[in-house]
């Protein structure tokens, strides 16, 4: 699995994913359902703040949400980026554009990206044959934590309960083994492909155990 938005989508201004070039405030991967503009213009302030905080890990989400509501209607990526920058007091020489977290959060929300990833992991568990390999490349911490937790749980590496508590039902047989260490790009790869800077690869091998019936929790 190569998770998240693609370079082709980011480079097409008309898809509305990027804030570096102006385009319609869309962000829909499937081109169906509510767009980012619909969300920004129709959701209440609390919902916008919660999405930006949850999926963007933005500590000033309430200030941004208040600014978005005050600036409505918003129809262009450039408009949204300017609203966020003004709300956070951005200066052109600042190293990171403050709109990054807000755009990520809204995109994840309207595309249900973490739910899609959880569904994909569960599907891989069901269809992989014993010995089959699962390899997942993620591009931000929310995705990576979900994959890391899934492989930890399914491989039986979750810490056990307290010895002072009654013994619970038998543990499930691990459905994955051989969980590899996280692999991140080195300097040579980053020189060839700067967009790989946030990529993390995690791998595991399917066992002979049955797939677990428990759903994969997003747990953000």
């Amino acid at each position: 699995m190569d998770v998240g938005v693609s370079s082709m989508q980011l480079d097409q201004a008309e898809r509305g994913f990027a804030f570096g070039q102006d385009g319609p405030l869309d962000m829909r991967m499937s081109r169906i359902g509510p767009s980012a503009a619909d969300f920004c213009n129709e959701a209440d302030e609390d919902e916008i703040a919660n999405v930006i905080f949850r999926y963007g890990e933005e500590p000033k989400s309430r200030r941004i949400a208040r600014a978005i509501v005050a600036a409505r209607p918003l129809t262009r990526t450039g408009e949204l980026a300017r609203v966020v920058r003004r709300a956070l007091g951005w200066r052109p020489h600042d190293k990171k554009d403050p709109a990054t977290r807000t755009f990520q959060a809204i995109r994840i929300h309207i595309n249900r990206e973490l739910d899609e990833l959880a569904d994909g992991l569960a599907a891989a568990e069901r269809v992989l044959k014993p010995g089959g390999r699962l390899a997942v490349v993620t591009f931000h911490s929310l995705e990576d934590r979900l994959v890391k937790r899934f492989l930890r749980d399914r491989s039986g590496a979750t810490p056990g309960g307290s010895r002072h508590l009654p013994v619970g039902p038998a543990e499930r047989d691990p459905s994955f083994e051989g969980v590899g260490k996280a692999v991140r790009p080195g300097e040579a790869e980053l020189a060839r492909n700067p967009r790989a800077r946030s990529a993390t690869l995690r791998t595991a091998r399917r066992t002979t155990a049955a797939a677990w019936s428990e759903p994969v929790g997003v747990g953000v």
Side-chain angles (χ1 to χ4, degrees):
M1 299 181 188
D2 184 354
V3 181
V5 67
S6 73
S7 293
M8 290 181 289
Q9 290 168 324
L10 288 172
D11 291 339
Q12 295 174 10
E14 66 272 15
R15 297 299 302 275
F17 286 100
F19 50 83
Q21 46 187 336
D22 187 54
L25 189 54
D26 194 326
M27 300 192 199
R28 294 172 298 176
M29 293 186 183
S30 64
R31 298 292 186 98
I32 59 174
S35 68
D38 294 329
F39 172 72
C40 289
N41 294 324
E42 297 173 8
D44 62 38
E45 185 177 314
D46 282 344
E47 183 181 1
I48 294 172
N50 290 338
V51 164
I52 295 173
F53 181 79
R54 184 183 189 198
Y55 297 128
E57 299 179 298
E58 171 57 72
K60 298 177 180 177
S61 60
R62 302 236 165 247
R63 184 189 303 178
I64 296 170
R66 195 159 48 244
I68 288 174
V69 170
R72 297 199 293 209
L74 298 169
T75 62
R76 308 287 296 181
T77 57
E79 292 173 335
L80 177 58
R82 286 191 293 272
V83 167
V84 177
R85 290 165 186 158
R86 282 198 302 268
L88 299 184
W90 179 70
R91 296 177 297 275
H93 62 270
D94 288 348
K95 192 170 184 180
K96 186 174 181 179
D97 195 313
T100 303
R101 290 175 173 175
T102 296
F103 269 69
Q104 171 186 296
I106 294 173
R107 191 201 78 220
I108 290 172
H109 172 68
I110 66 168
N111 290 292
R112 299 182 65 255
E113 291 181 30
L114 296 184
D115 297 290
E116 294 284 351
L117 175 56
D119 291 345
L121 293 171
E125 182 185 30
R126 291 193 301 270
V127 303
L128 278 172
K129 295 179 179 180
R133 305 277 181 155
L134 174 64
V136 187
V137 179
T138 59
F139 287 89
H140 58 75
S141 59
L142 298 179
E143 295 171 343
D144 183 52
R145 283 203 295 267
L146 197 162
V147 175
K148 181 180 180 180
R149 186 169 59 246
F150 169 79
L151 294 178
R152 180 196 65 200
D153 293 347
R154 266 27 181 198
S155 65
T158 303
S162 170
R163 63 186 176 88
H164 302 291
L165 296 175
V167 177
E171 296 291 333
R172 298 292 306 273
D173 291 332
S175 57
F176 283 94
E177 62 185 2
V179 177
K181 292 183 179 180
V183 178
R184 297 181 175 88
E187 292 183 6
E189 184 171 359
L190 289 174
R192 295 192 306 271
N193 179 20
R195 283 182 174 171
R197 67 185 180 280
S198 57
T200 301
L201 169 67
R202 294 187 184 274
T203 62
R205 183 173 59 252
R206 189 70 172 85
T207 68
T208 58
W212 290 23
S213 59
E214 291 86 347
V216 180
V218 173
V220 176

CSV table of all heavy atoms in Angstrom, one decimal, residues 157-191:
chain,number,residue,atom,x,y,z
A,157,ALA,N,2.1,-8.3,19.9
A,157,ALA,CA,3.1,-7.5,20.7
A,157,ALA,C,2.5,-6.5,21.6
A,157,ALA,O,3.3,-5.8,22.3
A,157,ALA,CB,4.1,-6.8,19.7
A,158,THR,N,1.2,-6.5,21.7
A,158,THR,CA,0.6,-5.6,22.7
A,158,THR,C,0.9,-6.0,24.1
A,158,THR,O,0.8,-7.1,24.4
A,158,THR,CB,-1.0,-5.6,22.5
A,158,THR,OG1,-1.3,-5.2,21.1
A,158,THR,CG2,-1.6,-4.6,23.4
A,159,PRO,N,1.3,-5.0,24.9
A,159,PRO,CA,1.7,-5.4,26.3
A,159,PRO,C,0.5,-6.1,27.0
A,159,PRO,O,-0.7,-5.8,26.8
A,159,PRO,CB,1.9,-4.0,27.0
A,159,PRO,CG,2.3,-3.1,25.8
A,159,PRO,CD,1.5,-3.6,24.7
A,160,GLY,N,0.8,-7.1,27.9
A,160,GLY,CA,-0.2,-7.8,28.6
A,160,GLY,C,-0.8,-7.1,29.7
A,160,GLY,O,-0.4,-6.0,30.1
A,161,GLY,N,-1.8,-7.7,30.3
A,161,GLY,CA,-2.5,-7.0,31.4
A,161,GLY,C,-1.7,-7.2,32.7
A,161,GLY,O,-0.6,-7.8,32.8
A,162,SER,N,-2.2,-6.6,33.8
A,162,SER,CA,-1.6,-6.7,35.1
A,162,SER,C,-1.7,-8.1,35.7
A,162,SER,O,-2.7,-8.8,35.6
A,162,SER,CB,-2.2,-5.7,36.0
A,162,SER,OG,-1.8,-5.9,37.4
A,163,ARG,N,-0.6,-8.5,36.4
A,163,ARG,CA,-0.6,-9.8,37.0
A,163,ARG,C,-1.5,-9.8,38.3
A,163,ARG,O,-1.8,-10.9,38.8
A,163,ARG,CB,0.8,-10.2,37.4
A,163,ARG,CG,1.5,-9.3,38.4
A,163,ARG,CD,2.9,-9.7,38.7
A,163,ARG,NE,3.6,-8.8,39.5
A,163,ARG,CZ,3.6,-8.9,40.9
A,163,ARG,NH1,3.0,-9.9,41.4
A,163,ARG,NH2,4.3,-8.0,41.6
A,164,HIS,N,-2.0,-8.7,38.7
A,164,HIS,CA,-2.9,-8.6,39.8
A,164,HIS,C,-4.3,-8.7,39.5
A,164,HIS,O,-5.2,-8.7,40.3
A,164,HIS,CB,-2.6,-7.2,40.6
A,164,HIS,CG,-1.2,-7.0,41.0
A,164,HIS,ND1,-0.7,-7.8,42.0
A,164,HIS,CD2,-0.3,-6.2,40.6
A,164,HIS,CE1,0.6,-7.4,42.2
A,164,HIS,NE2,0.8,-6.4,41.4
A,165,LEU,N,-4.6,-8.7,38.1
A,165,LEU,CA,-6.0,-8.8,37.7
A,165,LEU,C,-6.3,-10.3,37.3
A,165,LEU,O,-5.4,-11.0,37.0
A,165,LEU,CB,-6.2,-7.9,36.5
A,165,LEU,CG,-6.1,-6.4,36.8
A,165,LEU,CD1,-6.2,-5.6,35.5
A,165,LEU,CD2,-7.1,-5.9,37.8
A,166,PRO,N,-7.6,-10.6,37.3
A,166,PRO,CA,-8.0,-12.0,36.9
A,166,PRO,C,-7.6,-12.3,35.4
A,166,PRO,O,-7.5,-11.3,34.6
A,166,PRO,CB,-9.5,-12.0,37.0
A,166,PRO,CG,-9.8,-10.9,37.9
A,166,PRO,CD,-8.8,-9.8,37.7
A,167,VAL,N,-7.3,-13.5,35.1
A,167,VAL,CA,-6.9,-13.9,33.8
A,167,VAL,C,-8.1,-13.8,32.9
A,167,VAL,O,-9.1,-14.3,33.2
A,167,VAL,CB,-6.3,-15.3,33.8
A,167,VAL,CG1,-5.9,-15.7,32.3
A,167,VAL,CG2,-5.1,-15.4,34.7
A,168,GLY,N,-7.9,-13.1,31.7
A,168,GLY,CA,-9.0,-13.0,30.8
A,168,GLY,C,-9.1,-14.1,29.8
A,168,GLY,O,-8.4,-15.1,30.0
A,169,PRO,N,-9.9,-14.0,28.8
A,169,PRO,CA,-10.0,-15.1,27.8
A,169,PRO,C,-8.7,-15.2,27.0
A,169,PRO,O,-7.9,-14.3,27.0
A,169,PRO,CB,-11.2,-14.6,26.9
A,169,PRO,CG,-11.2,-13.1,27.1
A,169,PRO,CD,-10.8,-12.9,28.5
A,170,ALA,N,-8.6,-16.4,26.4
A,170,ALA,CA,-7.3,-16.7,25.7
A,170,ALA,C,-7.1,-15.6,24.6
A,170,ALA,O,-8.0,-15.1,24.0
A,170,ALA,CB,-7.4,-18.1,25.1
A,171,GLU,N,-5.8,-15.3,24.5
A,171,GLU,CA,-5.4,-14.3,23.4
A,171,GLU,C,-5.6,-14.9,22.1
A,171,GLU,O,-5.5,-16.1,21.8
A,171,GLU,CB,-3.9,-13.9,23.6
A,171,GLU,CG,-3.6,-13.2,24.9
A,171,GLU,CD,-4.3,-11.8,25.0
A,171,GLU,OE1,-4.5,-11.2,23.9
A,171,GLU,OE2,-4.6,-11.4,26.1
A,172,ARG,N,-5.9,-14.0,21.1
A,172,ARG,CA,-6.0,-14.5,19.7
A,172,ARG,C,-4.7,-14.9,19.2
A,172,ARG,O,-3.6,-14.3,19.5
A,172,ARG,CB,-6.6,-13.3,18.8
A,172,ARG,CG,-8.0,-12.9,19.3
A,172,ARG,CD,-9.0,-13.9,19.0
A,172,ARG,NE,-9.0,-14.4,17.6
A,172,ARG,CZ,-9.7,-13.8,16.6
A,172,ARG,NH1,-10.4,-12.7,16.9
A,172,ARG,NH2,-9.6,-14.2,15.4
A,173,ASP,N,-4.7,-15.9,18.3
A,173,ASP,CA,-3.4,-16.2,17.6
A,173,ASP,C,-3.0,-15.1,16.7
A,173,ASP,O,-3.8,-14.5,15.9
A,173,ASP,CB,-3.6,-17.5,16.8
A,173,ASP,CG,-3.9,-18.7,17.6
A,173,ASP,OD1,-3.4,-18.8,18.8
A,173,ASP,OD2,-4.6,-19.7,17.2
A,174,PRO,N,-1.7,-14.7,16.7
A,174,PRO,CA,-1.2,-13.6,15.9
A,174,PRO,C,-1.5,-13.9,14.4
A,174,PRO,O,-1.2,-15.0,13.9
A,174,PRO,CB,0.3,-13.6,16.2
A,174,PRO,CG,0.4,-14.2,17.5
A,174,PRO,CD,-0.6,-15.3,17.5
A,175,SER,N,-2.0,-12.9,13.7
A,175,SER,CA,-2.2,-13.1,12.2
A,175,SER,C,-1.0,-12.6,11.4
A,175,SER,O,-1.0,-12.8,10.2
A,175,SER,CB,-3.5,-12.4,11.8
A,175,SER,OG,-3.4,-11.0,12.2
A,176,PHE,N,-0.1,-11.9,12.1
A,176,PHE,CA,1.1,-11.4,11.4
A,176,PHE,C,2.3,-11.7,12.3
A,176,PHE,O,2.2,-11.8,13.5
A,176,PHE,CB,1.1,-9.9,11.1
A,176,PHE,CG,0.2,-9.5,10.0
A,176,PHE,CD1,-1.1,-9.2,10.1
A,176,PHE,CD2,0.7,-9.6,8.7
A,176,PHE,CE1,-1.9,-8.9,9.1
A,176,PHE,CE2,-0.1,-9.2,7.6
A,176,PHE,CZ,-1.4,-8.9,7.8
A,177,GLU,N,3.5,-11.9,11.7
A,177,GLU,CA,4.7,-12.1,12.4
A,177,GLU,C,5.9,-11.4,11.6
A,177,GLU,O,5.6,-10.9,10.5
A,177,GLU,CB,5.0,-13.6,12.5
A,177,GLU,CG,5.2,-14.3,11.1
A,177,GLU,CD,5.4,-15.8,11.3
A,177,GLU,OE1,5.3,-16.3,12.4
A,177,GLU,OE2,5.5,-16.5,10.2
A,178,GLY,N,7.1,-11.4,12.1
A,178,GLY,CA,8.2,-10.9,11.4
A,178,GLY,C,8.0,-9.4,11.1
A,178,GLY,O,8.4,-8.9,10.0
A,179,VAL,N,7.4,-8.7,12.1
A,179,VAL,CA,7.2,-7.2,11.8
A,179,VAL,C,8.6,-6.5,11.8
A,179,VAL,O,9.4,-6.6,12.7
A,179,VAL,CB,6.3,-6.6,13.0
A,179,VAL,CG1,6.2,-5.1,12.8
A,179,VAL,CG2,5.0,-7.3,13.0
A,180,GLY,N,8.8,-5.9,10.7
A,180,GLY,CA,10.1,-5.2,10.5
A,180,GLY,C,10.2,-3.8,11.2
A,180,GLY,O,9.1,-3.2,11.5
A,181,LYS,N,11.4,-3.4,11.4
A,181,LYS,CA,11.6,-2.0,11.9
A,181,LYS,C,11.1,-1.0,10.8
A,181,LYS,O,11.2,-1.3,9.6
A,181,LYS,CB,13.0,-1.8,12.3
A,181,LYS,CG,13.5,-2.6,13.5
A,181,LYS,CD,14.9,-2.3,13.8
A,181,LYS,CE,15.4,-3.1,15.0
A,181,LYS,NZ,16.8,-2.8,15.4
A,182,ALA,N,10.7,0.2,11.3
A,182,ALA,CA,10.3,1.2,10.3
A,182,ALA,C,11.5,1.6,9.5
A,182,ALA,O,12.7,1.8,10.0
A,182,ALA,CB,9.8,2.4,11.1
A,183,VAL,N,11.3,1.8,8.2
A,183,VAL,CA,12.3,2.2,7.2
A,183,VAL,C,12.0,3.6,6.7
A,183,VAL,O,10.9,3.8,6.3
A,183,VAL,CB,12.4,1.2,6.1
A,183,VAL,CG1,13.5,1.6,5.1
A,183,VAL,CG2,12.7,-0.2,6.6
A,184,ARG,N,13.0,4.5,6.8
A,184,ARG,CA,12.8,5.8,6.3
A,184,ARG,C,13.9,6.2,5.3
A,184,ARG,O,14.9,5.6,5.3
A,184,ARG,CB,12.8,6.8,7.5
A,184,ARG,CG,11.6,6.5,8.5
A,184,ARG,CD,11.6,7.5,9.7
A,184,ARG,NE,10.4,7.2,10.5
A,184,ARG,CZ,10.4,6.4,11.5
A,184,ARG,NH1,11.4,5.6,11.8
A,184,ARG,NH2,9.2,6.2,12.2
A,185,PRO,N,13.6,7.1,4.4
A,185,PRO,CA,14.5,7.4,3.3
A,185,PRO,C,15.8,8.0,3.8
A,185,PRO,O,15.9,8.8,4.8
A,185,PRO,CB,13.8,8.5,2.5
A,185,PRO,CG,12.8,9.1,3.5
A,185,PRO,CD,12.4,8.0,4.4
A,186,GLY,N,16.9,7.6,3.2
A,186,GLY,CA,18.2,8.1,3.4
A,186,GLY,C,18.5,9.4,2.6
A,186,GLY,O,17.7,9.8,1.8
A,187,GLU,N,19.7,9.9,2.8
A,187,GLU,CA,20.1,11.2,2.1
A,187,GLU,C,20.0,11.0,0.6
A,187,GLU,O,19.6,11.9,-0.2
A,187,GLU,CB,21.4,11.6,2.5
A,187,GLU,CG,21.5,12.1,4.0
A,187,GLU,CD,22.8,12.6,4.4
A,187,GLU,OE1,23.7,12.7,3.5
A,187,GLU,OE2,23.0,12.9,5.6
A,188,ALA,N,20.5,9.9,0.1
A,188,ALA,CA,20.6,9.7,-1.4
A,188,ALA,C,19.1,9.6,-2.0
A,188,ALA,O,18.9,10.2,-3.0
A,188,ALA,CB,21.3,8.4,-1.7
A,189,GLU,N,18.2,9.0,-1.3
A,189,GLU,CA,16.8,8.9,-1.8
A,189,GLU,C,16.2,10.3,-1.7
A,189,GLU,O,15.5,10.7,-2.6
A,189,GLU,CB,16.0,7.9,-1.0
A,189,GLU,CG,14.6,7.7,-1.5
A,189,GLU,CD,13.9,6.6,-0.9
A,189,GLU,OE1,14.5,5.9,0.0
A,189,GLU,OE2,12.7,6.4,-1.2
A,190,LEU,N,16.5,11.0,-0.7
A,190,LEU,CA,15.9,12.3,-0.5
A,190,LEU,C,16.4,13.3,-1.6
A,190,LEU,O,15.7,14.2,-2.1
A,190,LEU,CB,16.2,12.9,0.9
A,190,LEU,CG,15.4,12.2,2.0
A,190,LEU,CD1,15.9,12.8,3.3
A,190,LEU,CD2,13.9,12.5,1.9
A,191,ALA,N,17.7,13.1,-2.0
A,191,ALA,CA,18.2,13.9,-3.1
A,191,ALA,C,17.5,13.7,-4.4
A,191,ALA,O,17.3,14.6,-5.2
A,191,ALA,CB,19.7,13.7,-3.2
